[in-house]
């Protein structure tokens, strides 16, 4: 079996001031212990992670894990310094970064009167690993533009409802451009051979399975898990990605709690080659999740992540 997971670790910074950092060493140590405990229960072979601050903070976490791990960190953080990464107990054979929008996608507006955005807010990362059976799997991790809006001057609330609507649209423009960019990358990796090439695209997509931006990543429609087309081969299979969300038990089908409502915004998408080898998919909500609001500053002293991991098990 090969186990691949994705988890937003929520502001994994070393202690300090600002940027959602833990206020002191004790809080930081408690968070590392909590995160390491969850990773231990997951026992992943590859774990895609998001919201990594300094790479050294990820090193601190990996030091608490059993076994030998290879760490790969994106070279393209956002303006707060958070980025994506991957840790693996399997041999890593290739690493590739992605940040510029795909041709024809950008630029897009990101703020009132500001420069247009020409690249992803947080770069995506691909690692190619070799499984115990000798097969290779490409794992792409990404963290698309948040639905939690921020406004000029560091505000998390709008001056008026017009500003709220505009910035909601700006966030959607960017999330759509980022999804299209990652999808174009998947096209290149699949190259019409998805029946034979093992590709996982995963991460914090910042929207639910039915959202338009999430759907962009799937490619050809019509064969989603749980639909009549799932078992009917067609010409889209070599290019298609399947969202494994329907395989998560319904009562556990969420990865964050926003204002008291569970949302599944962390996803694992797989190519056709992996679809038939998917054994289980689950979210680790048993650790408990705090309900979040529109102001992330309230979470600076949190001793765990506000997201649940999503983990998939595949037959070798």
């Amino acid at each position: 079996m090969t186990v691949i997971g994705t988890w937003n670790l929520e502001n994994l910074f070393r202690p300090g001031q600002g940027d959602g950092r833990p206020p002191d060493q004790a809080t930081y140590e408690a968070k590392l212990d909590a995160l390491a405990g969850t990773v231990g229960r997951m026992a992943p072979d590859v774990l895609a992670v998001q919201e990594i601050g300094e790479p050294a903070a990820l090193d601190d976490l990996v030091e608490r894990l059993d076994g030998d791990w290879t760490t790969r960190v994106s070279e393209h953080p956002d303006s707060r310094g958070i980025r994506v990464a991957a840790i693996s107990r399997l041999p890593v054979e290739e690493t590739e970064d992605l940040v510029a929008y795909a041709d024809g996608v950008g630029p897009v507006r990101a703020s009132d009167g500001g420069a247009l955005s020409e690249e992803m807010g947080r770069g995506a990362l691909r690692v190619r690993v070799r499984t115990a059976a000798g097969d290779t799997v490409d794992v792409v991790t990404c963290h698309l533009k948040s639905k939690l809006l921020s406004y000029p001057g560091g505000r998390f609330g709008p001056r008026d409802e017009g500003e709220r609507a505009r910035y909601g649209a700006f966030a959607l423009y960017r999330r759509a451009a980022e999804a299209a960019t990652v999808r174009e990358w998947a096209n290149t990796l699949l190259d019409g051979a998805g029946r034979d090439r093992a590709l996982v695209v995963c991460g914090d997509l910042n929207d639910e399975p039915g959202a338009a931006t999430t759907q962009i990543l799937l490619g050809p429609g019509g064969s989603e898990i749980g639909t009549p087309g799932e078992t009917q081969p067609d010409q889209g299979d070599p290019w298609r990605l399947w969202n494994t969300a329907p395989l998560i038990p319904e009562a556990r089908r969420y990865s964050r709690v926003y204002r008291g409502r569970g949302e599944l915004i962390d996803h694992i998408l797989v190519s056709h080659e992996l679809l038939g080898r998917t054994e289980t998919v689950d979210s680790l909500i048993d650790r408990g999740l705090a309900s979040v609001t529109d102001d992330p500053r309230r979470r600076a002293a949190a001793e765990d992540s506000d997201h649940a991991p999503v983990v998939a098990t595949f037959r070798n």
Side-chain angles (χ1 to χ4, degrees):
M1 296 292 181
T2 299
V3 180
I4 298 176
T6 182
W7 195 10
N8 182 322
L9 301 181
E10 191 192 11
N11 293 327
L12 186 61
F13 286 97
R14 283 180 163 177
Q17 298 299 314
D19 296 326
R21 294 172 180 270
D24 52 57
Q25 188 67 25
T27 302
Y28 180 59
E29 297 285 342
K31 180 168 184 173
L32 290 175
D33 288 342
L35 297 178
T38 298
V39 175
R41 291 192 295 276
M42 293 170 63
D45 295 294
V46 183
L47 180 61
V49 290
Q50 302 85 45
E51 290 205 17
I52 304 303
E54 307 96 335
L58 183 57
D59 292 340
D60 292 342
L61 173 60
V62 171
E63 286 178 359
R64 282 170 162 74
L65 305 179
D66 293 333
D68 295 324
W69 295 81
T70 299
T71 301
R72 294 290 185 268
V73 181
S74 169
E75 297 178 356
H76 302 285
D78 69 6
S79 59
R80 287 204 303 125
I82 61 170
R83 68 204 81 199
V84 303
I87 61 173
S88 175
R89 294 191 294 179
L90 302 176
V92 176
E93 298 189 344
E94 290 183 20
T95 304
E96 184 181 9
D97 280 276
L98 178 70
V99 66
Y101 286 150
D103 290 345
V105 170
V108 298
R109 182 163 298 285
S111 63
D112 283 337
L116 300 180
S117 168
E118 297 186 356
E119 63 182 29
M120 301 176 70
R122 294 171 281 260
L125 177 72
R126 175 180 69 89
V127 295
R128 177 170 292 172
V129 300
R130 188 166 293 277
T131 70
D135 303 319
T136 59
V137 181
D138 282 316
V139 180
V140 172
T141 175
C142 57
H143 185 184
L144 303 188
K145 178 68 179 77
S146 179
K147 291 194 299 180
L148 299 179
L149 304 182
S150 58
Y151 302 90
R155 291 179 289 118
F156 291 100
R159 292 194 174 96
D160 54 48
E161 292 309 307
E163 186 180 50
R164 186 196 305 275
R166 290 195 307 279
Y167 275 78
F170 296 156
L172 183 57
Y173 301 160
R174 291 185 62 183
R175 192 159 61 253
E178 291 171 352
T181 295
V182 174
R183 177 63 225 190
E184 182 59 28
W185 203 15
N187 292 340
T188 300
L189 293 167
L190 291 170
D191 195 25
R195 291 191 179 97
D196 303 308
R197 295 185 179 180
L199 173 62
V200 175
V201 174
C202 62
D204 181 353
L205 304 187
N206 264 308
D207 223 330
E208 297 183 89
T213 51
T214 309
Q215 295 287 310
I216 286 171
L217 288 163
L218 304 183
S223 294
E224 292 82 1
I225 294 171
T227 69
E230 178 187 353
T231 58
Q232 302 298 315
D234 65 30
Q235 62 185 4
D237 286 351
W239 297 96
R240 185 173 283 125
L241 292 173
W242 281 261
N243 194 336
T244 62
L247 300 179
I248 301 172
E250 187 172 3
R252 303 168 61 84
R253 205 173 293 162
Y254 63 95
S255 59
R256 185 181 74 168
V257 177
Y258 172 64
R259 296 193 180 279
R261 185 180 76 85
E263 301 180 318
L264 183 62
I265 64 173
D266 302 89
H267 301 268
I268 297 177
L269 282 56
V270 300
S271 62
H272 190 272
E273 200 279 338
L274 285 171
L275 179 65
R277 297 199 280 124
T278 305
E279 286 282 299
T280 61
V281 186
D282 205 353
S283 65
L284 274 64
I285 58 170
D286 54 308
R287 41 188 287 281
L289 290 175
S291 181
V292 301
T293 67
D294 295 313
D295 188 348
R297 292 172 297 191
R298 301 179 182 180
R299 297 279 306 166
E303 295 182 352
D304 206 340
S305 173
D306 60 345
H307 287 243
V310 176
V311 60
T313 302
F314 304 97
R315 294 188 301 277
N316 287 332

